[in-house]
Structure formats: C-alpha cells, structure tokens
Amino acid sequence: MSDKGKYKLNPQTLLFETEETSVGARVLWIVGFLAGSLLLTGVYLWLYTSVLGLELPRTAILKKRNAAWVSRIEQMNRQMDEYDATLDGLAMRDNEVYRNIFGMNEIPSGVRDAGFGGVNRYAHLDALEGSSLLRRTAERLDHLAKKTYVQSKSFDEVTALSRRAGEMASCIPAISPLKTDHSQFRTSSPFGYRSDPFNGTSKMHTGFDFACPPGNPIYAAGDGVVSKVSFELFGYGNSVIIDHGFGYKTRYAHMRNIYVVEGMKVSRGECIGETGKSGRATGPHLHYEVMYRDNFVNPANYMDLQMPVEEYEAMIERAAAKSSNVIIRPHTRVRYRK
C-alpha cells in the first residue's frame, strides 16, 4: 500500500484503487490546514481576551510576578523612609550637639543632601517600560548611601577631635584677661547694645570693657596660638587675636604694649601685653572680645571676676613656669621660641 495517496472505490470493478495525490495539492492542503488553525487560534484568543475579558495564562503569571516585585520595591521604599528619618536625626544631633561641643562648623544640608553630578547614572532605566518606581528607588538608594558616607566622615572627625577633649578645658577662654583685683580696674561697658560714646547712636558693643590705668598686665584667657597682631591708628588700635581652637577666639584691643607675635603659642595666664588707649578710645581701657565659631558672644559667660586674687596669681606663676617663650619687654624687638 502506498502512503502517497488515498484509496477510492472503483464502481466497475468494485475494488479499492489507489488515487495518487499531487505534491502541489498536498502542499496546498498543509497550508490551508495551518491557516485554518491560526485563524481558529486567533478567534479563540479574541473571544478569550476581548469578549470574555480574560487574561492569557502567561500574561497572568507575569502580572502576578510583577505585582510581587512592585510590592517588594514599595516595602524597600518604606524602609528607606525610616532610614532617611534616622539619618536626619543623626545629622541634627551631629550639627547641634557633637560638632557644636567641639566648636566645629555645621555640615550644610546642601552637602549632606547633595546628589551625584556628571552623567546620568540611571539612563539604562529610562528605556524600561514603567521604570519610574525602579528609577526612584535606585536614586533613593544612592542618596542614602551618600548621606551615610557624609555622616560617617563627620563622626570620624568628631571622634578624632574628642580624643583631644582633655586639651579643650585649658583652651576655652575661661578666665578674666586682667587680674581679678578690683582695685585695679572697673567694668565700664558690658556686652550688648549701648549708646556709642563718640556719636551717641545705639550700637552693638561686641566685647567687654575694663577701665584701668595704662600699663596693667593683660593675660591670655586660655591656651592657644596668636593668630593676629595689629597696630592701627583707629578702630581696635594695638590688638591681639588668639585662636584657642575648638571654635574659640579672643581679641584684646587698645593695648599700649604687645609682648607676643603671630604664630606664638601661649598658655592660659601668660602675659601678652599691657593695657592702653590706642585706636578709637575715649580713655585707657581693655576691650575684650570672645568669638565662638566666628560669632561674638558675651565674655561675661566665660569668666569669673570673683576668682580670688591669690588663685589668679598662682595661675599666672604656673603659666610663667610652663611657658617656653622668652620675651624682651617693650620697645625692643620681641624674641620667642615656639
């Protein structure tokens, strides 16, 4: 029997005879069968999706998987909200407590929240359909990583400075710049707004004035380094600025003689000059300023004018014994050893 045809009954011989089928007819039959199958499949899919409103099994599986991933990403974003709030709390305590204690400048929010410059790091996500959630999550992850890095570096700085905390006690300007013998001076003008002694207008007085005869010894209010020595005809006159570190600086103005030079290390209680009335002054006095992180603060909050004179003098003697500075007194060239 041949497999290339079909059998047909011959009515004359009453026998089944083989009827040969041409190749073209067979190809045509196959094509017709495939076309019919595709048409039936298309009609089935149209009825299944458009008429009945159902989803194909593959589509339903993919949507289910997509929904699961979206749920996970949204959960990540909720966790990142918590982490971001925690980092903000750490940043606030860092700026207002830790860095403030050691006189360090705050880290601006623009630095903490800065993004990544340069090329678009997320261009590969723009081509994905519905990638807005994924892109936003990627951006937030990078943002948190940057904030965490900045906060970590800040804590490293605070830790390094905290190891020098023992030095801080001696550096803070915690004593009066004049010996606490009230027979030698009087407080003539405190910190705050006052009537200007020259023109009578209300003006902020950024320091504390000690009225006293010229030649009264002036002492460093804390350990530090002389950062500036000025000789002016007006303004502060002859003045000295000491940088105590930890955000503190002090200024001693209207001096007659100065015994220190820029770059000299001085100790609390070490004599740095004498009172006078140089510059813009109505009479002999010491104008004393305390600056914390470049802002003027009230010196009265940093000194005890009621310290016993004997205690003050003992401190002066200790400072003189501790100091390695060798100073030639007024009107000669100042010599020192750091």
Side-chain angles (χ1 to χ4, degrees):
M1 296 177 66
S2 174
D3 59 352
K4 295 184 178 180
K6 60 181 180 179
Y7 295 98
K8 185 176 181 182
L9 179 65
N10 188 334
Q12 295 177 357
T13 62
L14 300 177
L15 295 174
F16 286 97
E17 298 178 352
T18 302
E19 183 182 32
E20 297 291 335
T21 304
S22 66
V23 175
R26 292 185 57 163
V27 170
L28 194 61
W29 182 86
I30 293 172
V31 170
F33 176 79
L34 292 176
S37 299
L38 290 175
L39 179 62
L40 287 175
T41 302
V43 171
Y44 168 77
L45 292 176
W46 176 76
L47 290 173
Y48 193 84
T49 58
S50 299
V51 177
L52 299 179
L54 301 175
E55 293 180 341
L56 296 176
R58 181 63 176 171
T59 303
I61 292 173
L62 290 176
K63 282 190 174 183
K64 185 176 180 180
R65 290 179 180 176
N66 182 68
W69 279 110
V70 168
S71 178
R72 292 180 185 179
I73 294 174
E74 289 176 344
Q75 177 64 26
M76 287 177 59
N77 275 279
R78 287 191 292 270
Q79 290 178 339
M80 284 191 286
D81 287 339
E82 297 176 2
Y83 299 151
D84 202 11
T86 301
L87 275 175
D88 287 341
L90 289 173
M92 182 180 68
R93 288 198 298 273
D94 186 30
N95 278 341
E96 298 182 5
V97 180
Y98 310 137
R99 300 182 72 85
N100 196 19
I101 287 175
F102 297 106
M104 304 168 70
N105 291 328
E106 295 182 0
I107 298 179
S109 58
V111 174
R112 292 183 183 274
D113 297 328
F116 294 88
V119 298
N120 183 2
R121 297 165 56 90
Y122 314 103
H124 63 287
L125 298 176
D126 294 337
L128 300 178
E129 184 179 355
S131 65
S132 58
L133 178 61
L134 190 58
R135 179 189 174 108
R136 187 169 69 252
T137 303
E139 289 175 347
R140 293 198 64 193
L141 279 171
D142 285 345
H143 177 68
L144 284 176
K146 177 71 177 295
K147 288 181 70 173
T148 303
Y149 173 77
V150 172
Q151 187 60 67
S152 175
K153 296 297 291 182
S154 177
F155 281 155
D156 289 344
E157 294 174 1
V158 172
T159 300
L161 201 57
S162 68
R163 295 194 178 107
R164 299 173 49 209
E167 303 173 19
M168 186 175 179
S170 61
C171 290
I172 293 177
I175 66 166
S176 165
L178 297 181
K179 189 182 299 185
T180 53
D181 182 355
H182 290 262
S183 65
Q184 300 298 314
F185 70 88
R186 64 180 178 86
T187 55
S188 57
S189 185
F191 178 88
Y193 282 93
R194 67 170 185 177
S195 177
D196 189 284
F198 286 92
N199 53 36
T201 60
S202 178
K203 188 176 180 181
M204 180 65 183
H205 186 233
T206 56
F208 195 96
D209 287 351
F210 298 85
C212 57
N216 236 350
I218 301 172
Y219 301 97
D223 294 357
V225 177
V226 177
S227 61
K228 187 175 182 180
V229 174
S230 301
F231 300 92
E232 303 173 357
L233 292 176
F234 304 100
Y236 289 113
N238 301 336
S239 66
V240 171
I241 295 179
I242 299 177
D243 188 343
H244 302 278
F246 303 98
Y248 289 98
K249 294 180 182 179
T250 51
R251 177 185 275 120
Y252 313 79
H254 308 303
M255 301 169 67
R256 181 173 72 176
N257 295 309
I258 296 176
Y259 300 156
V260 293
V261 295
E262 293 178 3
M264 179 184 288
K265 294 180 180 179
V266 294
S267 301
R268 176 183 290 162
E270 187 171 352
C271 186
I272 62 173
E274 298 176 354
T275 60
K277 62 171 184 177
S278 59
R280 189 173 183 264
T282 56
H285 73 285
L286 170 66
H287 175 82
Y288 172 62
E289 293 177 347
V290 176
M291 292 160 278
Y292 179 63
R293 293 166 65 179
D294 297 324
N295 294 313
F296 294 105
V297 292
N298 191 347
N301 296 331
Y302 292 87
M303 59 184 178
D304 180 12
L305 294 179
Q306 304 306 318
M307 176 188 288
V309 178
E310 297 78 10
E311 185 178 334
Y312 197 101
E313 290 176 342
M315 178 190 59
I316 293 173
E317 293 176 2
R318 288 194 300 270
K322 173 184 175 183
S323 175
S324 60
N325 298 322
V326 179
I327 301 173
I328 305 300
R329 293 301 183 184
H331 309 301
T332 60
R333 187 177 180 181
V334 176
R335 296 186 292 112
Y336 72 98
R337 183 172 70 257
K338 289 186 181 179

